[in-house]
């Protein structure tokens, strides 16, 4: 049995880029650990969705547990750093925000989890955090350093295949009208030429959809996709893309070394 650790910024981030590999790893009998840097307390949410006296952080923790269950996660670890908010917001300047914490300090905390779990593979984000969110960018640098501290050799940057997304949008022009197109698609994820690994997760799309549904407060992120028929959802999210640290690009791998 091997151990996969997926490091993400906020509750709900685990679904899009690693939901499939987590479920596949769990199905194959491997141990799966999900780590989030923050509690997502600054996320947007629909009015009236929280219970009386409930904070968004409390609700998102509950949603994360449901998502993790759908994806076969054995352990969820929240590092409880403060959410930094979207790029350019005032929250970015708060000293305790995750984007401002000392890299080595945060990395040591994550490295302790990697060491305790004897991690074989750890996933982080690409250097732009996929789309430029300050917390996502920080995950990249903290994750790299933590893997170095813990001696984890198999480090994968989760990303979006920018060229694949452009092809999908060209083939499905209505998706742009439905709000599923990133406003900065030319900088979103990585170009195909820089990706080393693509994993077919179409066989576990039912679990990935259940994980999306678990994050009820994040309807702004998941809503447009939950309306898609399963075949369209699979077309969009039936593969997960990675760049392996230290490997030459060229889509040479079809699975992670678990």
């Amino acid at each position: 049995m091997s151990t996969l650790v997926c490091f993400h910024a906020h509750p709900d981030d685990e679904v899009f880029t690693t939901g499939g590999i987590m479920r596949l790893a769990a199905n194959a009998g491997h141990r799966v650990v999900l780590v989030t840097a923050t509690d997502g307390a600054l996320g947007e949410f629909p009015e009236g969705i929280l219970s009386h006296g409930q904070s968004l952080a409390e609700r998102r923790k509950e949603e994360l547990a449901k998502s993790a269950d759908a994806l076969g996660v054995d352990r969820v670890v929240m590092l409880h750093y403060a959410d930094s908010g979207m790029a350019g917001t005032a929250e970015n300047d708060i000293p305790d925000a995750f984007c401002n914490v000392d890299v080595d300090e945060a990395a040591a905390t994550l490295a302790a989890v990697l060491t305790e779990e004897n991690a074989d593979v750890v996933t982080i984000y690409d250097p732009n955090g996929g789309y430029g969110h300050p917390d996502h960018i920080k995950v990249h640098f903290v994750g790299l350093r933590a893997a170095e501290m813990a001696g984890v050799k198999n480090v994968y940057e989760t990303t979006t295949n920018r060229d694949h997304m452009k092809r999908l949008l060209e083939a499905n022009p209505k998706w742009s009208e439905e709000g599923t197109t990133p406003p900065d698609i030319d900088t979103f994820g990585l170009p195909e030429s820089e990706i080393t690994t693509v994993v077919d997760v179409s066989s576990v799309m039912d679990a990935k959809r259940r994980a999306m549904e678990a994050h009820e407060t994040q309807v702004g992120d998941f809503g447009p996709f939950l309306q898609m028929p399963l075949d369209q959802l699979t077309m969009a999210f039936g593969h997960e893309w990675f760049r392996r640290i230290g490997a030459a690009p060229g889509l040479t791998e079809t699975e992670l070394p678990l």
Side-chain angles (χ1 to χ4, degrees):
M1 181 183 73
S2 299
T3 299
L4 168 67
V5 178
C6 294
F7 181 37
H8 287 280
H10 317 97
D12 86 351
D13 289 329
E14 76 283 353
V15 180
F16 281 124
T17 57
T18 63
I21 61 163
M22 288 193 287
R23 186 67 259 181
L24 287 176
N27 289 352
H30 300 299
R31 181 167 173 81
V32 180
V33 179
L34 171 60
V35 182
T36 65
T38 81
D39 57 13
L42 295 179
E44 297 180 353
F45 59 97
E47 184 177 355
I49 198 170
L50 299 181
S51 302
H52 179 70
Q54 184 183 43
S55 70
L56 178 60
E58 291 169 338
R59 176 60 176 270
R60 295 192 74 175
K61 183 177 181 180
E62 294 176 2
E63 293 174 348
L64 182 64
K66 292 179 182 178
S67 171
D69 183 64
L71 298 176
V73 173
D74 295 288
R75 179 188 179 192
V76 176
V77 179
M78 301 184 77
L79 302 185
H80 294 294
Y81 288 102
D83 192 343
S84 304
M86 297 297 288
T89 63
E91 288 80 6
N92 294 174
D93 298 324
I94 297 173
D96 292 337
F98 182 58
C99 68
N100 296 322
V101 302
D102 180 76
V103 169
D104 278 0
E105 173 202 321
T109 303
L110 176 59
V113 176
L114 299 179
T115 300
E116 180 183 354
E117 292 289 348
N118 193 25
D120 296 282
V121 178
V122 61
T123 70
I124 58 175
Y125 298 140
D126 64 53
N128 190 43
Y131 66 103
H133 191 295
D135 286 334
H136 287 236
I137 293 171
K138 195 73 170 199
V139 161
H140 170 79
F141 292 103
V142 169
L144 272 183
R145 182 70 177 116
E148 180 183 27
M149 289 177 170
V152 180
K153 303 300 183 184
N154 298 309
V155 182
Y156 286 77
E157 298 172 344
T158 68
T159 192
T160 299
N161 183 332
R162 187 185 306 161
D163 298 308
H164 175 69
M165 178 172 287
K166 288 180 177 179
R167 290 191 293 267
L168 285 177
L169 292 171
E170 288 172 1
N172 300 274
K174 287 187 177 181
W175 289 8
S176 297
E177 301 171 9
E178 295 167 356
T180 58
T181 307
D184 53 350
I185 191 170
D186 288 328
T187 60
F188 197 79
L190 292 173
E192 197 163 75
S193 60
E194 296 183 20
I195 292 172
T196 66
T197 309
V198 55
V199 180
D200 184 344
V201 300
S202 58
S203 64
V204 292
M205 280 305 299
D206 57 339
K208 202 165 177 176
R209 186 194 281 275
R210 290 199 307 274
M212 290 182 185
E213 292 170 342
H215 293 285
E216 294 178 325
T217 62
Q218 303 308 297
V219 66
D221 290 339
F222 293 110
F225 305 110
L226 292 176
Q227 306 307 313
M228 289 182 175
L230 185 58
D231 61 335
Q232 289 189 11
L233 193 68
T234 301
M235 189 186 308
F237 300 108
H239 291 83
E240 292 175 356
W241 312 88
F242 305 86
R243 180 167 64 179
R244 184 176 186 172
I245 297 297
L251 296 175
T252 58
E253 295 181 312
T254 57
E255 59 184 20
L256 303 189
L258 292 168

